[in-house]
Amino acid sequence: RLRLHDGKLIKDRRYHLRTYPNCFVAKELTDWLIDHKEAPDRETGIRLMQKLMDHYIIHHVCDEHSDYKDAKLLYRFRKDDGTFPLSKDVKAFMRGQSIYEKLVSMEESILKVREENSVKYQRTFLGCEMIDWLVQEGEVENRKEAVELGRALLEHGIIQHVSNRNHFFDSDVLYQFWINFRRRRRLTELLNENSSRALSESPDSPFCLRKLNPDPGNTSFLSVQTNKEIKIVSAVRRSSITSLAGNSNPYFSTTPTLVFPPVAECNPKSVLKRPVTNEELLSPGAPYVKKTLTIVGDAVGWGFVVRGGKPCHIQAVDPGGPAAAAGMKVCQFVFSVNGMYVLHLDYQTISSLIMTGPRTLVMEVMEAIE
């Protein structure tokens, strides 16, 4: 957007006796994307701009077109007309970016390369140092507000504990900025977003207790009963990651042939006896213990179902699958996935993280103490 302003592609334009401020012509922008190597061809340029529309970043000046057309139509960045939706997530991201920029611009910044347990981490700071700095710079009124801000940044994936084992505290615990806001991102990265979210919308498994080679009238699922017991309806196998994600990863090239008995649906009702909040899980003295599970996926997945959100929980586990062998149990809460803190995410997002991650899955879960 700023580059387009500098290049005068964004400017006030007159059309049918009306002036539209701060807008651009779609066809001219597509030309610009190709000329500046942001897109290899017009088709890719159109797909990129459609992504920006889908994310509520740009829109047609009169909102008469919901899609991006490579034509002499006027579009505008929502930040230029005040219609950009400032959700809680966006506000947290922008606050984190602002703080990061101030820190890296300082001569004696608290952001440094530090070592812990023989591992070097970039962009690190101590929790108490950050709180001192936030108060001194007037970013917050007091230390309590600073802790709340730090927790919000951590829960939105902007900062994290270096080994991802602690929330944010006013102490000498080491944290780092997880996002490098100064890394130049190319627009084409938008097209690499995983499309597996649609797969996880099903009331059946989002990614792992799904039937193989689906065809009508030939299914096999785990049936999750309301009394928390898992009834095996048939020989349950986990879904083929190759068929779900549409990739050709050699790890998942084998597709076993199974014969499926009559239909058995997965009951989407939560197996939890009652809702549990993040505050309850993380409060001092809470009756929960954290466990680290290393799950090596086989040819057809990992063998569990995750449900809910903020926090997510394990809804079902295939007794014969890798997850069960690693110690996963129903009703555990998902704390982190491959080193990323996820208590603040929904199950669709966690499913996408798992689907796009490595074959060996490292998960931290929180389990109620009996």
Side-chain angles (χ1 to χ4, degrees):
R1 169 177 157 267
L2 296 177
R3 292 167 70 196
L4 293 174
H5 272 288
D6 290 341
K8 306 301 182 186
L9 261 78
I10 293 178
K11 59 185 179 182
D12 297 353
R13 297 175 186 270
R14 194 166 178 80
Y15 181 72
H16 283 184
L17 303 178
R18 181 178 173 183
T19 299
Y20 296 89
N22 292 321
C23 57
F24 59 87
V25 178
K27 190 173 184 302
E28 291 179 7
L29 181 54
T30 310
D31 294 337
W32 185 91
L33 291 172
I34 295 171
D35 292 343
H36 289 77
K37 305 289 190 285
E38 290 289 354
D41 49 54
R42 303 195 78 81
E43 181 185 356
T44 304
I46 294 167
R47 288 169 60 208
L48 286 170
M49 291 302 103
Q50 185 61 50
K51 276 282 188 181
L52 295 188
M53 289 197 74
D54 294 342
H55 285 74
Y56 300 100
I57 293 171
I58 64 172
H59 68 125
H60 180 256
V61 290
C62 298
D63 291 317
E64 292 176 355
H65 302 278
S66 59
D67 52 353
Y68 181 83
K69 298 181 184 296
D70 185 20
K72 290 184 178 181
L73 294 174
L74 299 181
Y75 292 82
R76 183 188 290 130
F77 279 82
R78 290 186 178 274
K79 276 194 113 178
D80 284 331
D81 63 9
T83 61
F84 184 67
L86 287 175
S87 65
K88 185 178 178 182
D89 291 343
V90 171
K91 287 179 180 178
F93 184 90
M94 292 175 70
R95 187 75 187 277
Q97 184 177 26
S98 170
I99 290 171
Y100 181 84
E101 287 295 337
K102 286 181 74 172
L103 284 168
V104 296
S105 300
M106 294 173 63
E107 288 187 10
E108 295 294 327
S109 176
I110 61 172
L111 294 189
K112 297 174 183 175
V113 177
R114 291 181 173 92
E115 188 173 306
E116 186 170 286
N117 297 328
S118 301
V119 178
K120 285 188 176 180
Y121 297 96
Q122 303 286 332
R123 305 181 297 278
T124 69
F125 56 90
L126 299 177
C128 54
E129 281 184 339
M130 175 62 81
I131 288 174
D132 290 341
W133 182 85
L134 289 170
V135 174
Q136 289 167 9
E137 292 295 314
E139 292 282 342
V140 293
E141 291 289 331
N142 50 54
R143 300 187 78 82
K144 181 183 177 184
E145 267 190 40
V147 171
E148 290 172 356
L149 174 57
R151 292 196 160 216
L153 295 179
L154 188 143
E155 288 170 5
H156 283 84
I158 295 166
I159 65 172
Q160 69 167 22
H161 178 243
V162 290
S163 57
N164 210 28
R165 296 185 180 278
N166 290 304
H167 212 305
F168 185 79
F169 296 104
D170 185 358
S171 66
D172 59 356
V173 175
L174 191 60
Y175 300 90
Q176 69 177 151
F177 270 86
W178 181 247
I179 299 176
N180 179 4
F181 288 99
R182 288 200 168 182
R183 181 178 74 82
R184 169 106 191 284
R185 289 166 175 78
R186 301 196 68 82
L187 275 175
T188 48
E189 291 181 36
L190 283 171
L191 301 181
N192 297 327
E193 287 184 350
N194 181 261
S195 59
S196 63
R197 177 174 286 263
L199 299 170
S200 61
E201 302 294 343
S202 164
D204 310 311
S205 165
F207 55 88
C208 45
L209 286 177
R210 221 179 257 260
K211 61 182 179 176
L212 293 169
N213 305 320
D215 67 79
N218 227 10
T219 61
S220 175
F221 294 113
L222 265 185
S223 176
V224 182
Q225 307 301 315
T226 55
N227 64 359
K228 296 206 308 182
E229 291 181 357
I230 299 178
K231 176 183 176 184
I232 304 301
V233 179
S234 62
V236 179
R237 293 290 294 171
R238 293 149 311 281
S239 64
S240 166
I241 298 301
T242 304
S243 63
L244 284 180
N247 62 35
S248 57
N249 190 324
Y251 283 134
F252 302 104
S253 58
T254 308
T255 306
T257 303
L258 299 180
V259 177
F260 298 105
V263 174
E265 293 289 327
C266 175
N267 185 348
K269 181 167 179 166
S270 174
V271 294
L272 299 177
K273 288 182 178 178
R274 63 177 183 82
V276 175
T277 64
N278 284 340
E279 289 73 19
E280 185 178 344
L281 281 177
L282 298 171
S283 62
Y288 295 95
V289 61
K290 192 188 295 182
K291 295 184 176 180
T292 301
L293 309 177
T294 302
I295 308 165
V296 182
D298 62 13
V300 287
W302 295 274
F304 66 96
V305 175
V306 64
R307 275 291 176 267
K310 302 180 182 182
C312 288
H313 64 274
I314 303 302
Q315 174 80 1
V317 181
D318 178 355
M328 181 173 284
K329 299 175 184 176
V330 169
C331 294
Q332 290 172 332
F333 295 96
V334 185
F335 183 88
S336 73
V337 173
N338 294 328
M340 181 176 178
Y341 175 84
V342 297
L343 278 182
H344 59 295
L345 301 179
D346 56 23
Y347 78 87
Q348 293 100 329
T349 307
I350 291 178
S351 300
S352 296
L353 285 174
I354 294 171
M355 287 281 285
T356 56
R359 180 189 185 190
T360 300
L361 175 64
V362 180
M363 290 180 64
E364 287 183 299
V365 296
M366 299 188 74
E367 179 179 311
I369 299 172
E370 295 295 337

